[in-house]
Amino acid sequence: MPEPGTTALVIVLPDAAPLLDAAWRIDPVLVRPGIPAHVSLLYPFVPESALTGQDEKGARSLAANFPAADLLLEELVTASGFVGVAVPQLQPIVDAFRAQWPGLHPYKGRYGARPAAHVTVAMGADDPTTAARVRAAVGSLLPLRTRAAALQLVVLTEEGWRPRFTAPLGGPDGR
């Protein structure tokens, strides 16, 4: 479990909220509180206590290089205790952020050097019956259209994940 002060750079996908809602209805413990449906660009990012204005400027600048994008989510991804949805259209932006901060290892290296872009729907679905129910519920919602429009830096607090700043993809006008 991450500690308070842990940060992440994410792209929030508001229209993908029904995926997390479906898992939450099965078991609320499976869905992380305080952070909406998203694709992680860098998790963990620079700890909050070490964040600098240069980190924020770099994240905003890089976000401005990628236009907002309409996405079609259609592929369920599963592993032991995990249910997610692939978002291959966002892999180039994920790769660019990881290249910008090469000393940061996504998920602390647990899933290899280049984990695929995805929306995490449920974590800790270790009971096979629960996992099957989540897969069925989420699968019934696919394909799903959503839009990637902004990057957020989120910080884990005692109360859950909270946004620290938001930067539009494609710069101030989102193009």
Side-chain angles (χ1 to χ4, degrees), residues 125-147:
D126 298 319
D127 173 64
T129 302
T130 301
R133 288 180 59 210
V134 171
R135 285 192 305 273
V138 171
S140 73
L141 298 172
L142 301 177
L144 184 141
R145 293 192 181 281
T146 188
R147 183 161 177 80

Side-chain angles (χ1 to χ4, degrees), residues 48-73:
E48 184 179 33
S49 61
L51 275 173
T52 67
Q54 197 63 25
D55 293 318
E56 182 174 332
K57 182 179 177 185
R60 288 179 183 277
S61 177
L62 195 51
N65 291 332
F66 291 89
D70 293 316
L71 307 171
L72 180 64
L73 307 183

Side-chain angles (χ1 to χ4, degrees), residues 61-153:
S61 177
L62 195 51
N65 291 332
F66 291 89
D70 293 316
L71 307 171
L72 180 64
L73 307 183
E74 49 191 346
E75 181 187 351
L76 200 60
V77 178
T78 61
S80 178
F82 171 87
V83 178
V85 176
V87 189
Q89 305 96 315
L90 292 182
Q91 194 65 50
I93 190 171
V94 170
D95 291 343
F97 272 81
R98 291 176 184 165
Q100 180 78 19
W101 284 274
L104 300 178
H105 303 287
Y107 308 101
K108 297 184 179 180
R110 285 181 293 200
Y111 307 108
R114 190 176 180 249
H118 65 278
V119 174
T120 298
V121 175
M123 289 179 36
D126 298 319
D127 173 64
T129 302
T130 301
R133 288 180 59 210
V134 171
R135 285 192 305 273
V138 171
S140 73
L141 298 172
L142 301 177
L144 184 141
R145 293 192 181 281
T146 188
R147 183 161 177 80
L151 162 141
Q152 278 191 348
L153 174 69

